[in-house]
Amino acid sequence: MHFLAIETSCDETSVAIFTDELQILANVVASQIDLHARFGGVVPEVAARAHLQRLLPTMEEALRQANLTLADIGAVVVMNSPGLVGALLVGVSAAKMLALTLEVPLLNANHIEAHIFAARMAAGRDIFPCVGLVVSGGHTSLFHCKTPLDFDLLGGTIDDAAGEAFDKVAAILGLGFPGGPAVEREAASGDPKAHALPRSFLKDERLEFSFSGLKTAVLYALYGTGITRGPKPEPGQRRADLAASFQQAVIDVLVAKSRQALRRTKLTRLAVGGGVSANRALRAALEAMAEREQVELFIPPLSLCTDNAAMAAVAVEKWRRQMYAPLDLDAVPTYQGKN
Ligand code: KG4
Ligand code: ZN
């Protein structure tokens, strides 16, 4: 049984083909980074248009890599939530058209739950129940993942997402877009202890995150307390130290809150997903914590951390239960808890 999955929630057009045994035959990602870089962030209209142009060639490439034709596809999966509504609509419309013309079931997957399922795909074995940490451009959330389709939200961010903070700090430091990898590169030669930046809610019982104060603290460290504007810092030790201190503050909070969630739920597995989990320093810190706490850590390889369509294989579980999506399926921009 072959599934064709479509992901267009943000700035990556992706089509994957996988089997009911979760074997990935193709996972093609057409990045739009080049289009958005000059605006310093993702422009929703530009993203939607680019998806429209790139979706069919991406699908053809996925079929070519899998050595299949559309006639071999037994079900179509689309990630219909959350994301940019115009971008999501391109994928949702294409998936409906495909399911209708191929006369195969349509399935929907939730992008956030799919980010956790990517860890299951990479593990090659069951990882549920587990604590799930999703750290992406739009979300920073901890879940109690009972099954692939049954998540309880333990807590999330009250302002910026972790990835958003990376992107904003990259802009402040003049490091360009996308911010995450740029900050990581800059931080490599910096001292993470150079600046004492805030770690919100660190000692708090609540499993919540806040990163907007951290972003302001970076501005103050750069220009002086209360001053939020000034020239971009020159390349050099000072800029590297700021990047490293910022990155360490984010990592400390993500690690501490994950540990709190593990202790509270008494679960012994932690699955991590989303673009920020591509960060090597975060991965190393989570590994060290997991070892200390004696919990199993599941973080997918980089290609499955950032947005991709293969993680939509969470819908295979729905297909087994014949939980098909209707042909009037909507694009839903916000995370609604359950899908
Ligand atoms: O999951 P993702 O690809 O898309 C969303 O669903 O948002 O995550 C994108 C986010 C961006 O904010 C990007 O800056 C961040 O992930 N990111 C990173 C790294 N690679 C991507 N953040 C920190 N370190 C990285 N190496
Ligand atoms: Zn994502």
Side-chain angles (χ1 to χ4, degrees):
M1 173 68 189
H2 296 113
F3 296 75
L4 184 145
I6 297 175
E7 150 67 21
T8 62
S9 72
C10 190
D11 60 341
E12 325 272 14
T13 314
S14 180
V15 176
I17 295 170
F18 44 81
T19 68
D20 55 340
E21 310 220 295
L22 304 182
Q23 194 195 353
I24 301 172
L25 304 181
N27 189 18
V28 181
V29 180
S31 171
Q32 302 178 6
I33 284 174
D34 48 334
L35 289 180
H36 301 285
R38 68 194 176 99
F39 299 108
V42 178
V43 183
E45 264 304 304
V46 173
R49 254 174 241 214
H51 285 309
L52 211 51
Q53 286 161 348
R54 295 171 187 206
L55 188 53
L56 289 181
T58 308
M59 188 177 87
E60 275 160 17
E61 177 59 16
L63 286 165
R64 195 192 64 73
Q65 287 186 13
N67 204 15
L68 296 173
T69 69
L70 280 178
D72 301 309
I73 300 303
V76 177
V77 188
V78 64
M79 282 192 269
N80 69 313
S81 176
L84 303 169
V85 72
L88 286 170
L89 267 175
V90 177
V92 169
S93 309
K96 286 180 185 173
M97 178 275 293
L98 270 177
L100 194 65
T101 50
L102 299 176
E103 296 182 36
V104 298
L106 174 69
L107 296 149
N108 66 320
N110 181 292
H111 185 96
I112 300 298
E113 291 165 3
H115 266 308
I116 293 298
F117 199 76
R120 157 72 185 86
M121 300 284 285
R125 65 184 165 97
D126 194 17
I127 64 167
F128 298 93
C130 62
V131 167
L133 170 69
V134 178
V135 272
S136 69
H139 294 86
T140 306
S141 308
L142 278 161
F143 296 95
H144 178 166
C145 312
K146 297 176 194 161
T147 72
L149 300 176
D150 189 3
F151 284 28
D152 280 342
L153 181 67
L154 297 170
T157 179
I158 60 162
D159 42 53
D160 294 352
E164 194 179 353
F166 268 94
D167 293 334
K168 286 180 176 169
V169 166
I172 291 168
L173 298 181
L175 298 173
F177 172 85
V183 171
E184 177 173 7
R185 271 194 305 276
E186 185 72 12
S189 56
D191 173 8
K193 294 199 176 84
H195 299 271
L197 299 174
R199 282 130 171 93
S200 297
F201 307 145
L202 197 62
K203 301 245 151 43
D204 202 297
E205 283 295 301
R206 281 180 303 172
L207 289 173
E208 282 181 344
F209 303 90
S210 166
F211 294 109
S212 76
L214 176 57
K215 175 194 64 195
T216 311
V218 171
L219 280 169
Y220 289 177
L222 197 54
Y223 302 123
T225 306
I227 306 170
T228 55
R229 276 173 201 279
K232 299 273 177 242
E234 295 294 323
Q237 196 58 45
R238 183 159 170 264
R239 192 173 78 173
D241 285 350
L242 269 170
S245 301
F246 159 77
Q247 179 175 273
Q248 193 59 49
V250 176
I251 291 173
D252 285 353
V253 173
L254 294 176
V255 170
K257 291 291 162 188
S258 301
R259 186 180 53 215
Q260 243 174 291
L262 285 160
R263 287 183 179 174
R264 186 179 299 180
T265 56
K266 300 194 168 51
L267 292 167
T268 55
R269 292 165 175 163
L270 173 63
V272 186
V276 182
S277 60
N279 187 286
R280 287 171 186 80
L282 173 63
R283 295 166 84 95
L286 285 167
E287 272 162 25
M289 183 273 284
E291 206 177 309
R292 281 195 307 274
E293 298 287 310
Q294 295 195 312
V295 300
E296 270 186 292
L297 177 66
F298 300 93
I299 312 187
L302 301 195
S303 61
L304 285 173
C305 283
T306 46
D307 287 349
N308 68 91
M311 64 191 194
V314 66
V316 171
E317 306 285 331
K318 289 189 173 180
W319 171 76
R320 286 193 205 292
R321 295 171 180 75
Q322 299 187 353
M323 292 161 63
Y324 305 142
L327 280 176
D328 63 355
L329 179 74
D330 255 338
V332 181
T334 52
Y335 180 68
Q336 305 274 309
K338 299 262 187 261
N339 200 356

